[in-house]
Amino acid sequence: MLPATYRKVIARRFSKDFRKAAQIVEVPLNPPGPNEVLIRVHYAGVNATDVNISAGLYTPGAEPPIDLGAEVLGEIVAVGENVTDLEPEMIVVTNSLGGYAEYYTCRARYAIPVAESSPQVLSLVLSGTTASIGLEVAEMRSGETVLVTAAAGGTGQFAVQLAKLAGNHVIGTCGSDDKIELLKRLGCDHVINYKTEDVGAVLSATYPRGLDVVYESVGRTMFDTCVDHLAIRGRLLVIGFISEYLDAPEVVNSARIYGKLLGKSASIRSMFLLHYIRQVPEHLRRLLALYDTGKLRAAVDRTRFQGVEQVVDAVEHLHSGRSTGKVVVQMWDGNA
Ligand code: NAP
């Protein structure tokens, strides 16, 4: 028996301050329309970019309110007309906007069935596929030197492991010593704590040939240092720039970057998952196969967040820099 109403988190006004933007509202629970499925959300994934979504950057031209969130794992509780390949009780994942909610309606073609309901599987959906597709865009091969920034985070952990599985030497950066142990367990050959070590000095001393691939998601001086240390034909993939999400972009006054790139035939690329959404199912299948056979681990942050009431705390926890692995909010514990 489904409830008549459910709660979700919306942005009642646009702000990068997620707490100021967010509001919990209770709305009617409608049956799914044609070609749609209704999902009871078990877990919602927390992402660095939630503050960009709450600022309206993902919905140009739209006025608030908008639904917040970006990915869910849950159980189908109803299917609409014309839906033939999905049925109630199936566990599915999906990553489109919204999802910080107790129930979520989406087009059936965006719901991908998975075997297990767990925060680990959820972490593969957006964070894992970003790493998998991103490293493909960076044309990562084997026998290369690969550096991953924010390596112990939601997506960084997968970039580390996929780079290692492909037979590369992997360097990870992180901001606390307690993340070093995890990164070593995930396969990092060298971990740099950027808060206690000078990343540029370590790279100059240890990797004078430079970096073949950089999976870069921090920005500011970390980005600059990585560009300076690209190898000949090195590729730096811009995945994000979390250090600038909550502030205005830093204005820098320096020589144009082509001077640094051409001398090394190096390149800067970027990958925004929404532009690669058609590739997600194929990459997710590959990640699930690696996860199911124990070749890929999925680290989930230990802080428990429960229900729509704790979504704001979870987003702020991710932005505190203290989280390790994927931050997840549990929306359903099976007892409600
Ligand atoms: P996350 O890595 O789980 O969490 C953020 C981590 O970033 C922190 O734990 C912190 O770890 C590190 N960090 C470095 N400088 C920071 C700063 N100034 N403030 C806060 N944290 C800082 O988050 P995520 O959701 O997986 O996202 C990571 C990056 O990937 C973000 O830039 C995000 O936008 C990007 N991303 C992009 C896509 C895409 O489609 N392009 C998809 C998913 C994620 P340490 O200090 O230990 O390094």
Side-chain angles (χ1 to χ4, degrees):
M1 180 72 174
L2 294 174
T5 61
Y6 73 104
R7 292 175 308 156
K8 64 178 180 176
V9 184
I10 58 158
R12 69 187 158 90
R13 66 180 174 102
F14 288 147
S15 172
K16 285 212 162 191
D17 182 335
F18 195 87
R19 189 172 288 277
K20 280 194 182 142
Q23 183 179 24
I24 298 170
V25 290
E26 184 153 358
V27 292
L29 182 61
N30 297 317
N35 305 308
E36 288 182 342
V37 292
L38 176 64
I39 300 167
R40 178 187 287 135
V41 179
H42 290 187
Y43 299 101
V46 180
N47 293 285
T49 209
D50 282 327
V51 297
N52 295 321
I53 298 172
S54 67
L57 301 185
Y58 279 46
T59 46
E63 292 293 325
I66 59 160
D67 290 354
L68 294 174
E71 54 176 335
V72 301
L73 179 152
E75 170 195 355
I76 294 182
V77 289
V79 299
E81 258 176 63
N82 309 327
V83 177
T84 50
D85 49 347
L86 298 172
E87 56 188 57
E89 294 187 20
M90 282 176 110
I91 303 294
V92 292
V93 293
T94 180
N95 62 338
S96 32
L97 290 184
Y100 283 141
E102 293 165 339
Y103 287 85
Y104 185 73
T105 302
C106 75
R107 287 181 169 260
R109 66 187 158 108
Y110 295 135
I112 305 171
V114 291
E116 121 191 358
S117 172
S118 70
Q120 286 78 11
V121 167
L122 173 74
S123 74
L124 301 174
V125 177
L126 194 156
S127 305
T129 57
T130 297
S132 182
I133 297 170
L135 291 171
E136 202 170 89
V137 171
E139 294 182 89
M140 182 187 72
R141 297 181 280 267
S142 299
E144 297 196 300
T145 301
V146 179
L147 182 137
V148 179
T149 64
T155 188
Q157 60 166 323
F158 295 113
V160 164
Q161 294 180 81
L162 294 173
K164 198 65 203 162
L165 281 169
N168 294 295
H169 182 92
V170 183
I171 308 156
T173 70
C174 65
S176 71
D177 284 345
D178 56 345
K179 299 186 186 181
I180 293 177
E181 273 317 301
L182 170 75
L183 286 174
K184 288 194 173 153
R185 283 202 303 279
L186 295 181
C188 267
D189 298 288
H190 190 149
V191 184
I192 307 172
N193 179 343
Y194 67 89
K195 290 197 176 149
T196 57
E197 296 175 87
D198 178 335
V199 178
V202 173
L203 293 175
S204 296
T206 321
Y207 302 97
R209 195 185 64 78
L211 306 165
D212 299 303
V213 174
V214 180
Y215 187 85
E216 211 300 274
S217 64
V218 169
R220 286 197 173 151
T221 54
M222 182 67 90
F223 170 85
D224 297 339
T225 303
C226 292
V227 170
D228 288 342
H229 286 269
L230 282 172
I232 290 173
R233 295 204 210 178
R235 289 90 67 203
L236 183 147
L237 185 76
V238 175
I239 275 296
F241 39 94
I242 189 171
S243 61
E244 290 200 288
Y245 287 173
L246 294 178
D247 307 321
E250 190 180 2
V251 177
V252 290
N253 184 3
S254 61
R256 291 199 168 87
I257 202 160
Y258 43 57
K260 288 183 178 179
L261 298 177
L262 186 59
K264 296 193 279 195
S265 295
S267 57
I268 295 178
R269 304 164 186 202
S270 63
M271 198 287 298
F272 184 44
L273 194 63
L274 283 178
H275 300 143
Y276 287 81
I277 219 70
R278 283 173 202 271
Q279 279 92 324
V280 165
E282 173 202 334
H283 283 261
L284 183 59
R285 270 194 294 277
R286 175 179 165 235
L287 294 170
L288 284 165
L290 290 170
Y291 174 74
D292 287 344
T293 51
K295 294 188 182 117
L296 186 73
R297 296 174 58 180
V300 173
D301 185 67
R302 287 195 184 154
T303 314
R304 278 177 64 89
F305 297 100
Q306 191 95 33
V308 285
E309 297 85 355
Q310 291 198 310
V311 164
V312 172
D313 293 342
V315 173
E316 290 184 348
H317 178 60
L318 185 148
H319 276 276
S320 73
R322 288 194 303 274
S323 61
T324 302
K326 180 76 185 177
V327 181
V328 170
V329 180
Q330 185 172 19
M331 292 291 178
W332 168 263
D333 61 9
N335 297 317

